[in-house]
Amino acid sequence: MNLFDVYPLYPITPVKAVDCTIYDDKGIEYLDLYSGHGVISIGHTQPDYVAKVKEQLDNLSFYSNAIQNPLQVELAEKLGKASGLTDFSLFLCSSGAEANENALKLASFHTNKSRVIAFDNSFHGRTSAAVAVTDNKKIVAPLNAQQEVTFLPLNQIDLVETELKKGDVCAVIIEPIQGVGGLDQGTTEFFQALEKACKANEVVLILDEVQSGYGRSGKFFAHQHHGINPDIVTTAKGMGNGFPIGGVLISPKFKASYGLLGTTFGGSHLACAAGIAVLDVMEKQNLIANTNKVSEYFFEAIKVIPEIIKVKGRGLMLGVEFDFDVSALRKKMIIEKYIFTGGANNKNLLRILPPLTITTAAIDTFIVALQESLAELKQ
């Protein structure tokens, strides 16, 4: 049997990783400034994390949600404390797409309506409703396109208000910082007006923090930069440091009932052990403070490169934009300079999503390699 060929692959085979360094099967060391789409939050093979997961694996890795699992309770309490959302409830699942799927489903149940407002260049996942609210026709099958979705531009609150007043919208879903779309974000004025409009029209406001959450923006959740209170927050990528786990954080306005939501693998013992370890390490190492320190350094240090037309994003969720397609530049960086970066729907943008443990010295290494690569591509 062959693998279904859906991923273009670089000719690199990682076999080991420590903190922000990846080693391939030839012994070459790579600087990881992408974290596998922003998944590695506390560093590869972080010792406390590895010990916690190994210990749990020795005891019990999985049983169904039909039994009590104190690890779920512990994870919910620690997540509430770390995020400040202590009055919210937690539904555990296995991925960001699953988190968004359940958030949209919950909003539809709550309002008894079906239309969703999403935004241009959004990305929310590849499952049925999640991909329907993703602004990329190439990955939306006819089956998904049956969903009722209206896409609007960011920062135009009058257009949102017009749609909400029609009375058939169950939810507005928005990334506080767009990931795949290219690091664009709404203004604080827009987010605050959006919250007000949703409340006035009894529409559920969903903040998709799958990529921007868990400290990546410099606050635990990126929407907290804007001082707003969403009805639902979804999270996943940094939550398990590589172990598949996702979460739906649900405000007290929603009433739970047996069978309303469900999952087989979500909230397993092993997943919860990974999630608890991540929160413990984030607190112990004060990684949000490090994120802000390194981010401030990055924004200043990157100014030495005149070819850059804009630096986008917040914290360690960053985009470096040029006036040309960066495909060749990104390939040169990984193949010749041994540095992982990411791409986006914006073909002129390099995405920077390192582990939150990254150092300013590593940023210096990146900037030198970027300068060299740009010079070499001009030859």
Side-chain angles (χ1 to χ4, degrees), residues 235-346:
T235 189
K237 290 188 184 297
M239 191 175 185
N241 201 49
F243 196 96
I245 183 172
V248 186
L249 284 67
I250 304 163
S251 75
K253 72 190 291 181
F254 296 89
K255 179 176 172 55
S257 61
Y258 294 145
L260 184 70
L261 303 178
T263 175
T264 295
F265 295 106
S268 74
H269 296 75
L270 204 51
C272 287
I276 290 166
V278 167
L279 291 172
D280 286 346
V281 171
M282 285 182 67
E283 181 180 21
K284 180 181 177 181
Q285 296 188 5
N286 204 4
L287 291 185
I288 293 180
N290 187 65
T291 295
N292 285 310
K293 181 188 79 170
V294 177
S295 179
E296 183 179 353
Y297 183 86
F298 184 97
F299 272 95
E300 190 61 34
I302 203 75
K303 291 177 180 177
V304 300
I305 301 179
E307 293 91 343
I308 295 172
I309 62 172
K310 192 173 185 181
V311 181
K312 302 166 78 172
R314 293 177 185 265
L316 292 175
M317 186 173 177
L318 300 167
V320 180
E321 190 170 18
F322 298 86
D323 62 359
F324 57 87
D325 187 315
V326 299
S327 299
L329 175 61
R330 185 181 171 210
K331 185 175 181 179
K332 177 179 276 288
M333 291 289 286
I334 191 170
I335 300 298
E336 298 179 20
K337 307 300 180 182
Y338 312 122
I339 297 176
F340 283 83
T341 61
N345 287 348
N346 178 350

Side-chain angles (χ1 to χ4, degrees), residues 2-314:
N2 295 319
L3 294 173
F4 198 49
D5 190 12
V6 293
Y7 300 116
L9 303 177
Y10 285 110
I12 296 166
T13 305
V15 295
K16 183 178 174 62
V18 178
D19 197 17
C20 300
T21 303
I22 293 173
Y23 304 84
D24 74 5
D25 57 350
K26 299 178 179 63
I28 297 173
E29 296 184 17
Y30 297 81
L31 174 61
D32 185 9
L33 295 186
Y34 192 54
S35 304
H37 308 301
V39 167
I40 302 300
S41 49
I42 60 171
H44 292 279
T45 60
Q46 201 281 337
D48 295 338
Y49 170 87
V50 171
K52 181 80 171 179
V53 173
K54 281 183 175 178
E55 179 186 15
Q56 188 60 49
L57 190 58
D58 284 337
N59 292 318
L60 176 66
S61 62
F62 173 83
Y63 205 75
S64 82
N65 284 304
I67 47 82
Q68 295 183 59
N69 182 349
L71 293 173
Q72 292 185 355
V73 177
E74 182 181 354
L75 177 56
E77 289 175 348
K78 288 190 172 186
L79 178 52
K81 179 183 176 183
S83 67
L85 302 179
T86 54
D87 61 338
F88 276 50
S89 298
L90 176 64
F91 174 76
L92 289 163
C93 54
S94 299
S95 70
E98 190 183 358
N100 284 331
E101 197 79 24
N102 280 286
L104 292 164
K105 183 178 180 181
L106 188 60
S108 187
F109 270 133
H110 182 75
T111 61
N112 201 33
K113 297 172 183 176
S114 59
R115 188 159 69 102
V116 179
I117 302 298
F119 293 88
D120 295 347
N121 286 321
S122 59
F123 184 92
H124 298 290
R126 292 175 179 268
T127 53
S128 186
V131 79
V133 297
T134 289
D135 185 23
N136 183 347
K137 290 182 174 60
K138 292 181 181 178
I139 64 173
V140 178
L143 176 68
N144 312 126
Q146 296 177 88
Q147 309 278 354
E148 297 179 85
V149 182
T150 302
F151 289 96
L152 298 174
L154 285 172
N155 295 322
Q156 295 193 30
I157 192 62
D158 56 325
L159 298 181
V160 180
E161 290 171 341
T162 297
E163 295 300 322
L164 296 186
K165 288 174 183 175
K166 294 177 181 179
D168 63 340
V169 175
C170 71
V172 172
I173 185 168
I174 184 169
E175 301 157 273
I177 306 170
Q178 291 186 334
V180 174
L183 283 299
D184 290 319
Q185 54 188 312
T187 64
T188 293
E189 181 184 17
F190 175 73
F191 274 109
Q192 291 180 354
L194 182 62
E195 179 192 10
K196 183 178 179 181
C198 285
K199 286 182 177 175
N201 291 278
E202 297 183 335
V203 171
V204 175
L205 178 57
I206 302 170
L207 267 293
D208 177 348
E209 297 262 14
V210 167
Q211 188 169 119
S212 59
Y214 268 70
R216 183 153 293 282
S217 75
K219 289 187 179 290
F220 194 89
F221 285 127
H223 73 264
Q224 293 167 331
H225 288 283
H226 306 296
I228 62 170
N229 297 295
D231 299 306
I232 299 176
V233 179
T234 58
T235 189
K237 290 188 184 297
M239 191 175 185
N241 201 49
F243 196 96
I245 183 172
V248 186
L249 284 67
I250 304 163
S251 75
K253 72 190 291 181
F254 296 89
K255 179 176 172 55
S257 61
Y258 294 145
L260 184 70
L261 303 178
T263 175
T264 295
F265 295 106
S268 74
H269 296 75
L270 204 51
C272 287
I276 290 166
V278 167
L279 291 172
D280 286 346
V281 171
M282 285 182 67
E283 181 180 21
K284 180 181 177 181
Q285 296 188 5
N286 204 4
L287 291 185
I288 293 180
N290 187 65
T291 295
N292 285 310
K293 181 188 79 170
V294 177
S295 179
E296 183 179 353
Y297 183 86
F298 184 97
F299 272 95
E300 190 61 34
I302 203 75
K303 291 177 180 177
V304 300
I305 301 179
E307 293 91 343
I308 295 172
I309 62 172
K310 192 173 185 181
V311 181
K312 302 166 78 172
R314 293 177 185 265

